[in-house]
Amino acid sequence: MDFLKSAVASAMAKGPPFPYTFGDKVDLDPSIWTLYNGTRREDGSDCSIFSFDISANRSAFPLAKNALKKLRTLRHPGVIKVLDTAERTVKFINDEASSVHGSLKVASVYTTESGEWKLGGFEVLSNVKDDEAVIYVGFKLPFQPSSEHEANNDQTYGSLVPDSGRYTPPELASSGWDALKRSPHSAVDAYNFGALIFEVFNGNFNGSDQAGQTKNIPPSMHSSYKRLVNSNPKARLSVAHFLEQGRRNGSFFDTPLIKLTDGIENLGVKTEEEREAFLDDLEQLTDDFPEDFFKMKVLPELLKSVEFGGGGAKAFGLVMKIATKLSNEDFEAKITPVLIRLFGNPDRAIRVCLLDNLPLMIDRLPQNTVNNKIFPQVVTGFTDVAPVVREQTLKSVLTFIPKLSDRTINSELLRYLAKTANDEQPGIRTNTTICLGKIAKYLGTSSRAKVLIAAFTRSLKDPFLHARNAALLALAATVEHFSEEDCAGRILPVVCPSLIDKEKLIRDQAAKTVDIFLAKIKKAAASMPDTVLPPEGAAATTAPRMSTPQPAESSAAAWALLPGRRQPRRG
């Protein structure tokens, strides 16, 4: 989620065109910001727009500027990017950045489309080593203090944070923000984090009276949670130590979801053994976690692992499992571009994996994409030196065929099938015959019979038993595509020798195939006229040739006379 902060409204009017489009307003807890859904004009991607109205809230302008400055300079996966577990980001702010957030609460936490938490609310985030930090800077309230808390905070901008009174630790309530200098700088954020935990499990935090209450909070967290909100800031458990305790084996952060979040972000740097173990665990979890989390968070990381990180077949299998739940629009936007690139990858393991999973994706791929971008890369597999690649490429034809153009089928595809029909591997030759039989209906009508007869009759002479059997089966299955003349004159003469093949399997199948073709021939013959000779009367007006038997002779006599017939001598 991209965050856009506007501290000076007039800058939008005087500067270049605002590159974002405002959408619906989003309900937000008390804040100096107004939050909108937005769209980046450049690429149409979603974003969130934080708007600050300087004319209506001039006194809080330094807070807006401070938030913008910190968000631009404080770089960490949990800062305006991810808060998969809030304590990590706070640990980074307190320890690595030597800073105080100063406003940890539900209103400072935002969720992405994937359900991840992201931390904002940087209005008073300050480096404790900076004496001029906004959290310390003097400021005179433009109104009469209405409470002891406001009076105590009259000289700092910390008091301007909306709704800050409910979350103020006891030491600040009594001594103001200067108390930060007399306690561990992590103490304020630790207390606020404890209040945030209470809010997460109970919905609201009304004030210090609720600090330490354990209602609805997991029992395993009770002890550590209470130490976060200890009234003595020096005795408080820091967020860093809270994280350490939670991550111990069997403790409150030792959960499948947190392990998944950790593992998926580091997938690219895991060893092969670690990656395999993680993917095994992930495979068991995919049905239990929210779909949006897998779609927006897990899926992109898996795709990167497949494409660049050696994720292999297992990672791609998980991609396909998640992809089944995507809309067609999401599939085309997130999956299709990667598939096109993967089919162009020379890695044989990836190619075989893609072809194995082809049935799961083919219906989601547009015909033009398959015919013009994917299949031209697939055909290299027909001539690959690895038999397994040639075999899988051949099998994939049955899945690809409905998405291919007539030109691709009758030109490019048939050219490659002619090569696999003569492959050195008998299994590939056999499967080529089977493939041709199954795709016969897609072949061009003008050349179909010629192509099939040539292929099948050649396979009838193959020394491999199953190749010959496949040819007989394919002929029987495609009989409808042959004319009666082809059946009688070109096919049966080649099939009949198989009736006395040395293998009984072939003899039996040849008999069945011959019966099928004979049935077609007999049916056609039954509709033919008895003869095409002229009528008998017309024949009588023509003198017979001396070598032609006379009509009065019986057929048997004619056949008997023809072989040895002699002309009588003339005296």
Side-chain angles (χ1 to χ4, degrees):
M1 191 192 310
D2 295 325
F3 286 81
L4 183 67
K5 285 68 57 178
S6 173
V8 186
S10 61
M12 295 195 308
K14 296 178 180 178
F18 192 56
Y20 296 84
T21 301
F22 282 80
D24 299 332
K25 182 178 178 181
V26 179
D27 291 335
L28 194 63
D29 285 344
S31 171
I32 68 171
W33 305 101
T34 303
L35 178 61
Y36 297 89
N37 289 321
T39 304
R40 181 183 293 168
R41 293 180 181 176
E42 180 181 6
D43 57 10
S45 61
D46 295 332
C47 65
S48 294
I49 302 176
F50 282 73
S51 174
F52 178 77
D53 190 343
I54 189 172
S55 60
N57 198 6
R58 184 174 295 276
S59 61
F61 183 40
L63 300 183
K65 290 198 298 183
N66 184 68
L68 178 58
K69 175 182 177 182
K70 298 300 183 181
L71 287 168
R72 282 177 171 170
T73 59
L74 199 60
R75 299 297 182 184
H76 183 265
V79 174
I80 305 304
K81 184 174 185 293
V82 63
L83 189 63
D84 51 6
T85 52
E87 69 287 343
R88 289 191 199 169
T89 304
V90 181
K91 174 184 178 296
F92 169 77
I93 291 172
N94 290 166
D95 295 353
E96 284 80 0
S98 300
S99 297
V100 177
H101 184 281
S103 187
L104 272 177
K105 52 188 175 182
V106 165
S108 299
V109 178
Y110 304 88
T111 57
T112 67
E113 293 175 303
S114 65
E116 296 172 272
W117 290 10
K118 298 186 177 184
L119 184 60
F122 283 14
E123 290 79 13
V124 294
L125 191 150
S126 302
N127 189 308
V128 294
K129 300 176 182 178
D130 181 5
D131 291 334
E132 298 300 317
V134 69
I135 206 166
Y136 299 132
V137 170
F139 174 76
K140 186 68 178 177
L141 290 173
F143 51 83
Q144 187 66 28
S146 60
S147 66
E148 180 183 355
H149 168 69
E150 287 183 349
N152 289 333
N153 286 276
D154 191 28
Q155 298 301 312
T156 68
Y157 278 105
S159 62
L160 295 183
V161 177
D163 211 23
S164 61
R166 282 193 293 146
Y167 303 94
T168 302
E171 66 274 15
L172 297 191
S174 60
S175 304
W177 288 94
D178 250 11
L180 283 172
K181 300 177 181 179
R182 299 188 293 274
S183 303
H185 73 272
S186 62
V188 171
D189 287 343
Y191 182 91
N192 287 160
F193 188 72
L196 176 62
I197 290 174
F198 185 89
E199 282 187 299
V200 167
F201 289 103
N202 292 281
N204 199 18
F205 182 79
N206 295 320
S208 59
D209 291 345
Q210 290 180 318
Q213 293 184 12
T214 57
K215 179 182 178 182
N216 296 326
I217 294 175
S220 61
M221 194 181 288
H222 285 180
S223 176
S224 300
Y225 156 69
K226 288 180 178 180
R227 292 182 62 190
L228 284 171
V229 294
N230 193 300
S231 59
N232 181 357
K234 295 182 179 180
R236 257 174 228 154
L237 185 71
S238 71
V239 177
H241 287 123
F242 181 82
L243 169 62
E244 180 185 341
Q245 292 181 3
R247 293 178 69 84
R248 292 172 183 170
N249 189 35
S251 194
F252 46 87
F253 285 147
D254 185 21
T255 68
L257 179 57
I258 292 178
K259 287 180 179 178
L260 168 60
T261 306
D262 290 345
I264 198 65
E265 291 186 343
N266 300 315
L267 187 58
V269 296
K270 290 183 181 296
T271 65
E272 185 175 352
E273 293 76 14
E274 291 173 336
R275 183 171 59 244
E276 287 295 308
F278 172 76
L279 293 175
D280 285 338
D281 291 341
L282 180 59
E283 193 169 14
Q284 304 302 316
L285 298 172
T286 52
D287 293 329
D288 300 329
F289 289 167
E291 290 184 13
D292 286 343
F293 178 74
F294 275 90
K295 180 174 73 174
M296 306 301 296
K297 179 65 177 180
V298 178
L299 181 60
E301 297 299 327
L302 287 175
L303 287 171
K304 285 191 289 186
S305 178
V306 172
E307 193 170 5
F308 307 114
K314 186 168 292 185
F316 191 78
L318 287 169
V319 167
M320 287 293 97
K321 187 173 183 179
I322 297 172
T324 59
K325 299 180 181 180
L326 297 180
S327 66
N328 289 336
E329 292 76 13
D330 282 339
F331 189 96
E332 186 170 359
K334 300 175 184 297
I335 306 295
T336 300
V338 179
L339 290 178
I340 293 172
R341 293 196 297 271
L342 287 175
F343 272 109
N345 192 314
D347 188 288
R348 291 188 175 93
I350 289 180
R351 172 61 62 86
V352 171
C353 179
L354 287 168
L355 296 176
D356 282 342
N357 286 276
L358 187 62
L360 298 177
M361 66 178 89
I362 193 67
D363 290 337
R364 312 290 289 276
L365 297 170
Q367 183 173 1
N368 285 341
T369 298
V370 174
N371 189 75
N372 300 331
K373 296 182 179 180
I374 293 179
F375 194 71
Q377 300 180 105
V378 170
V379 295
T380 60
F382 285 115
T383 55
D384 196 277
V385 296
V388 65
V389 177
R390 300 200 301 275
E391 182 83 23
Q392 290 302 114
T393 304
L394 180 59
K395 290 180 179 179
S396 73
V397 170
L398 301 181
T399 306
F400 275 120
I401 197 76
K403 298 275 187 173
L404 302 181
S405 68
D406 290 343
R407 181 178 180 180
T408 299
I409 293 171
N410 293 288
S411 177
E412 189 170 13
L413 175 59
L414 288 182
R415 185 170 68 252
Y416 283 107
L417 291 181
K419 294 180 179 180
T420 58
N422 292 291
D423 197 276
E424 63 181 13
Q425 297 291 322
I428 294 178
R429 298 197 301 271
T430 301
N431 282 331
T432 301
T433 300
I434 295 172
C435 177
L436 282 167
K438 291 183 177 294
I439 69 171
K441 65 180 180 180
Y442 295 99
L443 303 182
T445 55
S446 62
S447 60
R448 179 164 48 207
K450 179 181 178 181
V451 169
L452 296 180
I453 291 173
F456 297 159
T457 55
R458 180 177 58 248
S459 294
L460 285 173
K461 301 173 184 178
D462 197 295
F464 187 53
L465 163 69
H466 298 290
R468 302 198 300 278
N469 192 53
L472 292 168
L473 290 169
L475 281 167
T478 57
V479 64
E480 64 185 283
H481 299 304
F482 304 119
S483 67
E484 290 77 11
E485 290 78 8
D486 283 337
C487 292
R490 301 180 62 190
I491 297 175
L492 277 180
V494 183
V495 172
C496 285
S498 297
L499 292 169
I500 54 172
D501 193 277
K502 294 180 180 180
E503 299 291 338
K504 185 176 186 301
L505 174 67
I506 303 301
R507 296 195 299 272
D508 291 345
Q509 185 55 52
K512 295 176 183 177
T513 301
V514 167
D515 287 344
I516 291 173
F517 278 86
L518 281 177
K520 179 169 183 172
I521 294 170
K522 289 178 179 179
K523 182 178 179 180
S527 64
M528 296 173 67
D530 292 344
T531 181
V532 293
L533 295 176
E536 185 176 339
T541 62
T542 305
R545 289 184 180 180
M546 294 182 64
S547 60
T548 303
Q550 299 303 307
E553 296 177 344
S554 68
S555 296
W559 281 104
L561 291 172
L562 280 173
R565 188 173 184 179
R566 296 180 179 177
Q567 296 297 327
R569 290 184 179 181
R570 294 184 182 272

